Amino acid sequence: MDLFIVNGLGVLVFLISSIVFFVGWKKKQFNSAFFVSGITLVSYAFMLQVGGTPYLRWLGYIFSCTLLVWVIGQYIELSKERLRTVMFLTPLVMLTGALASLSFGFFMLFWFILGGLFYVALLRVLLQGESKYFDKIKKYIWFGWTVFPVVFIVSPEGFALIPMSIAMGLYLLLDIYTKIIFYKTIEKTQN
């Protein structure tokens, strides 16, 4: 699949989801689903414009995933201290992803491993959530989030075992799973 098509699909999917999340917004609460979707839309639109440069994805994730982890922290009732910790760790994970994407050889591995350590620390804090809802969302964390670095390492950003178009297609599927389907799941448990 061509990068233009993948990024175009990303624009279309996240444009629709942004509209749906905006229209479905309950005026009494912060509309994080709309903002996460909108940030992801901007990321795909920018990648479409500049030819699919993958590191841009990680820069967009600094904002969308930090907001997403805040929502998860609230949802699983993390303490304020733990919530601050995950809000600090999330942008570090994404920034090291961007740096790994821009690097080669030893430096790519250095940034990837450092990001992996930040990610493990992030998971340790999230696993301390005491909410009854954690079981309902852990599949998004374990499967969705953990597959992103696997795709990275087999993509041309890592060891080039798959073409970039397939990697970008997998990233799009993971974005849909972790940013749209996730919100629909927590919406159902909160009603």
Side-chain angles (χ1 to χ4, degrees), residues 13-25:
V13 166
F14 283 95
L15 175 64
I16 292 168
S17 68
S18 295
I19 292 167
V20 168
F21 286 135
F22 183 77
V23 171
W25 177 33

Side-chain angles (χ1 to χ4, degrees), residues 78-117:
L78 283 180
S79 69
K80 287 184 181 183
E81 180 182 311
R82 290 178 180 154
L83 187 58
R84 277 192 300 269
T85 301
V86 297
M87 296 295 290
F88 177 74
L89 287 169
T90 303
L92 290 176
V93 171
M94 302 311 150
L95 179 60
T96 54
L99 292 170
S101 181
L102 289 167
S103 302
F104 300 96
F106 168 79
F107 291 106
M108 183 275 296
L109 284 174
F110 171 79
W111 291 117
F112 183 82
I113 291 168
L114 184 60
L117 293 173

Side-chain angles (χ1 to χ4, degrees), residues 3-15 18 36-53 56-57 60 168 172 175:
L3 291 178
F4 182 82
I5 293 170
V6 173
N7 289 322
L9 283 171
V11 167
L12 181 63
V13 166
F14 283 95
L15 175 64
S18 295
V36 166
S37 188
I39 292 166
T40 306
L41 167 62
V42 169
S43 178
Y44 275 101
F46 199 61
M47 286 188 293
L48 180 66
Q49 180 183 355
V50 298
T53 311
L56 295 171
R57 156 182 318 289
M168 294 294 276
L172 175 58
D175 280 338

Side-chain angles (χ1 to χ4, degrees), residues 108-160:
M108 183 275 296
L109 284 174
F110 171 79
W111 291 117
F112 183 82
I113 291 168
L114 184 60
L117 293 173
F118 290 141
Y119 179 64
V120 169
L122 173 67
L123 287 178
R124 288 191 68 208
V125 175
L126 284 176
L127 291 173
Q128 297 171 1
E130 300 170 6
S131 171
K132 62 184 177 186
Y133 295 124
F134 189 77
D135 283 343
K136 296 186 186 320
I137 65 163
K138 68 182 176 186
K139 64 184 172 191
Y140 297 100
I141 294 169
W142 289 117
F143 174 72
W145 289 7
T146 305
V147 175
F148 277 98
V150 172
V151 172
F152 177 93
I153 207 69
V154 299
S155 78
E157 295 171 283
F159 294 113

